[in-house]
Amino acid sequence: MAIDQRNLSVLANFCGAAADAMAFTLMRTAHSAFVKETEDFSCQIVTKDGLAFANPRQFGAPWYSGIDYGPLLRMFDYAEGDICITNDPYAGHVATHTPDIHIWKPVFHDGRLACFVVGHIHNTDVGGAVPASLSRSLSEIEQEGIRIPPVKLVERGVMNDFVARVFRTNVRMPDQNWGDLTAQIASVNIGERKIHEIIRRFGYDDFMDGVERILDYAEAQARAILARVPDGDYFFADYADEDSVGGKPCRIALTLKVRGDQVVLDYTGSDPQLGSSLNMPTGGVERHPLVMVGLTYVLYTLDNSLLLNAGTLRPARAVLPAGTVVNCQRPAAVGMRSLTCAMTQIVTVGAFVQALPDLMPAASPGGNAIMNVKTAARNGKPIMASIGPVGGGGGGTPFGDGSDGAGGATGFLRNTPIEITEAEVPIRFLRYGLEPDTGAPGQHRGGLSAVMEFRIAQPETVVTARNRNRSVMPGWGVAGAQPGKVSQFIRNPGPQEQQLRNTDLVACQPDDVIRVVGPGAGGWGHPFDRDPARVLQDVRQGYVSAASARADYGVMLEGDGVDMPATTALRASRLPVDSPFSFGAERIAFERIWTRERYDLLTGFLAAVPVGWRFFLKHRVFDAVAAAPDTADLPAIFADLRARHGL
């Protein structure tokens, strides 16, 4: 069968269906809720060189559509029946933190290698210093659980029992982890079978030719989209609340350079490698998924017919300075890299807002808390379970409101139904839904945040809430809209409540109540331009309070309707918009001290000192500036630190 344009589309759909089958098998046979309900996994079919050309179209994490397994594939010679495994973030820079177990299997046809079927799942726990293995308090990779170097788990169809025993011995829930791993193996076996069926239909040579043309087609689509973006350099920065426990803000800076149908994402100016687990182990790979996923989302937003595969990213490359938070060096901890990755997505959108202001949305939340509970059943059986993500909605867009409860950069994580969680974990849910007034007011409002509240039943229970963020600096609004609301994390809400902010590890006892509210998304357009009828509908649905309708939207309600004369009079008092972005008071105050010029001086100073000193020196500089924010002389501070520490 010759591969013309029609048959290329047919082949691409067959390959996509094969990836769907892999994902469906994994989802239906996995043991942990985080895989079978939340769907934190990926499945791909990749070329002999490791480039993904087919991904699931409805299931799992879209981060990995442009992944390159090549560095791992080149480590071995292969025979039929082999399956390899790793979760080491520093081996090939494919796994991105230790809970992500990656496996890959070669597919042969008549003795000739055709492709590989691959995939990963996020294990709820892989051992290490804390339950669920991840906390921003960890400072080195060795604390984050077992690391499996690239190795053959199955060789010529025979399981390597030693690798299996080592894995099971070093995790808290070995049966659950082993059940998830066997589901992964079933997934790649299904993928292998589906590829054999496709090759029988198309023939080996046409299949191999078609795979390359699928990648070429996605590249051509991406180039056509990028050609519509005005040439220029677009700078944008944003901040995670903390670079460590109780630490300083963590800056992610991006200069988007658009030239014709190509782009460069230059992350120069981002913070140094951190003494916490927010680091990203990209290895400087110029198309690494962790720093490219924001671009993938933008391209797909501009054209949802785009094929998502490694070809999509060929017109782009990233600049990732070594020894920074976006390209850390061993032995840096990396477990919370998804929080930082969310910020790379947000700064990518922020840069494109400047290039395409009438097409891009406001900020998504950037702080999707993944809630886990380590406890025990009444019979003493240990339980380690994910109970679902708690985040915000999508940013408001030029065309409509952001989605509520989930959306934007974190929309792929599904929720776990509370009935399933309560059947498996001894907690009792008190509330799970949408929190009013959390989406940013705008002509098109930001999506509302999710809220989760539950009561602990067993003693010595540990709740982990990884990726907590946006409790200080909210997600920004665009074109006159307001920023989103900050997130909340509270133990025992009420008069004696404890505000936990970005804490991610909480020891609990029976009857303790945990309440989590995700951060709100930014809005788009001035709130006074929102149709009063839509504001009234939001109030009736419980999304917006009457007080917010008046204060934020300038809408006066009377009885069951809108008092239009009073609304018109109130809206006449609107203030002019003097900036395309609305950042919120906290960020404005921070950047009044830490201007772009000052921060560029800081990152330049840190880049010139050894990597092991950078995080320490950043904090010393911040402390010195805080002592005299208006008069601090950065070059003098740098010179003093160099002299004091012999640098």
Side-chain angles (χ1 to χ4, degrees):
M1 181 185 294
I3 297 293
D4 55 22
Q5 193 62 41
R6 182 190 65 185
N7 288 334
L8 182 65
S9 180
V10 173
L11 175 61
N13 280 316
F14 268 109
C15 293
D20 283 342
M22 294 173 63
F24 194 76
T25 299
L26 178 55
M27 184 176 64
R28 289 302 188 191
T29 57
H31 284 213
S32 68
F34 208 55
V35 178
K36 64 188 180 184
E37 296 292 341
T38 307
E39 296 186 25
D40 195 347
F41 64 79
S42 70
C43 302
Q44 287 84 33
I45 308 170
V46 305
T47 66
K48 293 191 296 183
D49 297 322
L51 297 177
F53 64 88
N55 302 273
R57 295 164 294 186
Q58 307 243 351
F59 309 108
W63 286 23
Y64 298 91
S65 60
I67 201 165
D68 180 3
Y69 267 79
L72 293 179
L73 302 188
R74 291 189 285 272
M75 294 181 182
F76 300 95
D77 294 321
Y78 298 96
E80 291 198 49
D82 288 350
I83 299 176
C84 298
I85 185 172
T86 190
N87 71 329
D88 185 356
Y90 290 109
H93 300 284
V94 174
T96 57
H97 61 182
T98 53
D100 285 356
I101 303 288
H102 286 254
I103 70 171
W104 61 100
K105 183 177 188 178
V107 180
F108 291 89
H109 180 77
D110 292 337
R112 293 182 291 178
L113 181 63
C115 62
F116 288 82
V117 283
V118 307
H120 94 280
I121 64 167
H122 180 101
N123 284 255
T124 304
D125 178 274
V126 288
V130 300
S133 306
L134 306 178
S135 169
R136 77 180 65 204
S137 65
L138 305 181
S139 59
E140 56 188 4
I141 187 72
E142 287 78 11
Q143 298 168 319
E144 296 183 323
I146 185 173
R147 278 189 295 158
I148 306 170
V151 65
K152 288 189 177 181
L153 175 66
V154 179
E155 189 164 6
R156 297 180 183 269
V158 179
M159 178 70 70
N160 185 328
D161 289 331
F162 177 75
V163 174
R165 288 199 308 274
V166 170
F167 178 52
R168 291 174 62 94
T169 300
N170 285 277
V171 300
R172 291 180 173 86
M173 301 295 294
D175 291 341
Q176 177 174 281
N177 287 35
W178 190 251
D180 282 349
L181 183 58
T182 56
Q184 281 187 276
I185 293 172
S187 171
V188 295
N189 287 341
I190 286 290
E192 178 187 36
R193 191 180 79 191
K194 294 294 183 181
I195 293 299
H196 285 153
E197 294 172 0
I198 294 171
I199 293 176
R200 283 196 294 270
R201 179 181 291 268
F202 285 85
Y204 177 85
D205 292 335
D206 284 342
F207 172 79
M208 300 300 289
D209 177 49
V211 163
E212 294 301 325
R213 292 179 61 182
I214 288 171
L215 295 172
D216 292 343
Y217 184 73
E219 177 185 357
Q221 285 184 298
R223 290 188 183 278
I225 297 168
L226 291 171
R228 294 154 40 194
V229 182
D231 282 5
D233 291 358
Y234 305 96
F235 175 83
F236 197 78
D238 209 336
Y239 307 86
D241 289 342
E242 299 175 334
D243 59 9
S244 55
V245 177
K248 318 297 184 184
C250 174
R251 184 201 205 204
I252 303 296
L254 172 68
T255 302
L256 174 70
K257 302 176 181 180
V258 183
R259 303 291 186 273
D261 62 358
Q262 300 180 74
V263 294
V264 174
L265 285 75
D266 188 346
Y267 285 91
T268 301
S270 297
D271 260 11
Q273 180 171 318
L274 307 177
S276 68
S277 65
L278 274 68
N279 301 293
M280 297 170 63
T282 64
V285 176
E286 64 180 13
R287 296 185 181 91
H288 197 283
L290 287 178
V291 294
M292 283 293 181
V293 65
L295 176 64
T296 301
Y297 288 168
V298 167
L299 295 175
Y300 195 77
T301 297
L302 296 173
D303 183 356
N304 62 15
S305 71
L306 176 67
L307 286 182
L308 297 180
N309 59 44
T312 308
L313 299 179
R314 284 177 176 169
R317 67 180 183 88
V319 176
L320 304 166
T324 66
V325 68
V326 296
N327 180 13
C328 64
Q329 297 179 9
R330 189 181 309 185
V334 298
M336 303 280 280
R337 89 292 185 255
S338 50
L339 189 159
T340 317
C341 179
M343 302 310 297
T344 70
Q345 298 166 38
I346 288 170
V347 298
T348 303
V349 173
F352 273 98
V353 165
Q354 299 168 65
L356 300 168
D358 296 328
L359 295 175
M360 289 288 103
S364 56
N368 200 39
I370 310 299
M371 305 301 297
N372 297 277
V373 175
K374 179 183 180 295
T375 186
R378 290 192 178 276
N379 63 5
K381 179 183 177 182
I383 294 172
M384 180 74 239
S386 170
I387 61 173
V390 182
T397 79
F399 315 106
D401 296 344
S403 57
D404 294 318
T410 52
F412 75 87
L413 291 174
R414 276 66 165 176
N415 73 306
T416 301
I418 62 174
E419 295 85 357
I420 291 176
T421 298
E422 288 186 337
E424 297 182 354
V425 185
I427 62 174
R428 176 58 56 89
F429 281 92
L430 306 178
R431 186 178 175 201
Y432 189 34
L434 299 175
E435 182 74 355
D437 287 340
T438 49
Q443 180 182 356
H444 303 299
R445 63 169 175 79
L448 299 177
S449 301
V451 56
M452 177 186 287
E453 190 170 312
F454 56 92
R455 177 175 285 114
I456 303 300
Q458 292 290 103
E460 308 305 324
T461 293
V462 177
V463 173
T464 66
R466 66 181 175 92
N467 292 352
R468 291 277 309 141
N469 195 26
R470 294 297 202 196
S471 68
V472 179
M473 296 189 190
W476 36 267
V478 173
Q482 295 184 23
K485 298 296 189 291
V486 295
S487 62
Q488 298 180 41
F489 190 21
I490 302 171
R491 175 161 48 189
N492 298 324
Q496 304 299 317
E497 68 186 26
Q498 181 184 4
Q499 295 283 347
L500 300 170
R501 292 169 59 90
N502 289 327
T503 301
D504 58 23
L505 195 67
V506 185
C508 298
Q509 302 299 340
D511 293 328
D512 277 348
V513 172
I514 295 293
R515 186 172 194 265
V516 189
V517 181
W524 193 97
H526 199 290
F528 281 19
D529 291 330
R530 188 169 179 83
D531 184 346
R534 296 186 65 191
V535 177
L536 175 62
Q537 182 182 29
D538 281 343
V539 172
R540 287 173 172 171
Q541 292 177 321
Y543 296 163
V544 172
S545 66
S548 176
R550 180 176 61 256
D552 297 320
Y553 292 94
V555 173
M556 297 295 292
L557 302 178
E558 184 178 24
D560 293 332
V562 176
D563 183 337
M564 285 306 301
T567 295
T568 301
L570 182 57
R571 286 187 164 189
S573 65
R574 69 186 290 173
L575 298 174
V577 176
D578 57 3
S579 171
F581 296 100
S582 303
F583 290 123
E586 298 80 3
R587 174 166 171 175
I588 291 171
F590 176 78
E591 291 188 330
R592 189 174 293 120
I593 298 170
W594 280 104
T595 62
R596 179 178 174 184
E597 292 73 22
R598 265 189 171 179
Y599 221 114
D600 286 347
L601 286 174
L602 172 64
T603 54
F605 162 63
L606 296 175
V609 301
V611 172
W613 280 92
R614 293 177 185 177
F615 181 67
F616 168 81
L617 291 174
K618 175 199 167 181
H619 279 226
R620 301 292 78 75
V621 173
F622 262 69
D623 291 341
V625 170
D630 296 325
T631 59
D633 182 345
L634 259 62
I637 293 171
F638 300 158
D640 177 67
L641 288 170
R642 285 194 186 97
R644 187 183 312 171
H645 299 291
L647 296 172

